């Protein structure tokens, strides 16, 4: 059964919120929900190209999310990948499940 189309919620973070390095707890807490692949759970921040690649590689490890959450996260990652110029060949979140 096909999943309904989900509109991405990801928005590019402001320059001071973009970080290629590790985010500490305070930095993560300061990010808006729209900076995360999984905004409701505030999982997988997408604040740089390296974070997008990390979200792609860890996608199947995220726990306690629904298929709808995964569909939204995939669209958010796709939008962030485009913004940060990260190559992404996957066409569906199912392609990221190992």
């Amino acid at each position: 059964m096909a999943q309904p189309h989900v509109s991405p919620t990801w928005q590019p973070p402001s320059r001071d919120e973009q970080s290629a390095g590790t985010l500490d707890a305070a930095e993560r807490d300061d990010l808006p929900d729209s900076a995360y692949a999984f905004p409701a759970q505030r999982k997988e921040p997408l604040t740089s190209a390296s974070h997008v690649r990390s979200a792609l590689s860890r996608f199947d490890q995220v726990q306690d999310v629904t298929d709808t959450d995964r569909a939204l996260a995939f669209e958010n990652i796709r939008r962030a990948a485009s913004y940060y110029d990260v190559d992404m060949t996957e066409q569906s979140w199912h392609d990221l499940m190992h």
Side-chain angles (χ1 to χ4, degrees):
M1 178 179 216
Q3 291 288 325
H5 178 70
V6 178
S7 296
T9 57
W10 184 83
Q11 297 293 318
S14 66
R15 283 215 184 271
D16 59 330
E17 293 171 335
Q18 293 184 23
S19 170
T22 302
L23 297 168
D24 65 29
E27 291 168 325
R28 287 177 68 101
D29 288 346
D30 286 343
L31 291 174
D33 292 350
S34 62
Y36 289 87
F38 294 87
Q41 299 82 5
R42 295 182 59 84
K43 293 182 179 183
E44 300 300 329
L46 302 171
T47 57
S48 69
S50 64
H51 284 119
V52 170
R53 287 189 288 275
S54 176
L56 285 167
S57 68
R58 297 165 34 109
F59 191 88
D60 65 337
Q61 298 171 19
V62 177
Q63 297 180 353
D64 301 322
V65 294
T66 66
D67 286 355
T68 302
D69 294 329
R70 288 194 188 281
L72 173 59
F74 182 80
E75 293 305 321
N76 286 335
I77 292 168
R78 186 192 319 246
R79 179 179 275 182
S82 175
Y83 179 82
Y84 292 115
D85 200 27
V86 173
D87 288 332
M88 190 173 157
T89 59
E90 296 82 5
Q91 299 298 310
S92 162
W93 68 265
H94 299 279
D95 297 336
L96 294 169
M97 301 304 289
H98 301 115

